[in-house]
Amino acid sequence: MEATLRAVARELAHDELADYLSPWQSPAGDRSWIAMAAAADSKYTLGLLPALKASIVPTRLVWGRDDEFQTVSYASVTGVRMWPVGVP
């Protein structure tokens, strides 16, 4: 819940927060989240690189500093310039 509150630029009303969190408030939601995470594969991230590098449109990728699946050090293999940005 705290991560959701920090991720939104404004204060959320109680019902808005409940809407954000509702998909993870049941056993079925938990199973769905675990299945999605288990199916994640870094090849999809790497598959985006040619198009991103060829694009003339400035693109910003946001990478989770504490991402345990694809760490920030993994991001360096993309060859993309990176600027660390602190988030309170």
Side-chain angles (χ1 to χ4, degrees):
M1 177 172 74
E2 294 300 319
T4 302
L5 292 171
R6 288 192 311 268
V8 179
R10 62 178 176 77
E11 188 172 333
L12 293 174
H14 179 73
D15 59 330
E16 290 178 300
L17 181 59
D19 283 344
Y20 274 107
L21 299 177
S22 65
W24 299 279
Q25 300 296 316
S26 71
D30 290 344
R31 287 191 303 276
S32 177
W33 176 252
I34 291 169
M36 185 203 61
D41 190 323
S42 61
K43 71 181 178 185
Y44 300 112
T45 303
L46 293 174
L48 294 172
L49 288 177
L52 286 172
K53 289 180 177 182
S55 175
I56 62 171
V57 177
T59 305
R60 176 177 293 170
L61 298 178
V62 178
W63 210 289
R65 178 178 52 219
D66 297 327
D67 188 330
E68 294 178 9
F69 174 66
Q70 293 184 11
T71 65
V72 172
S73 63
Y74 176 80
S76 66
V77 302
T78 64
V80 175
R81 291 181 296 169
M82 294 176 33
W83 293 270
V85 176
V87 177

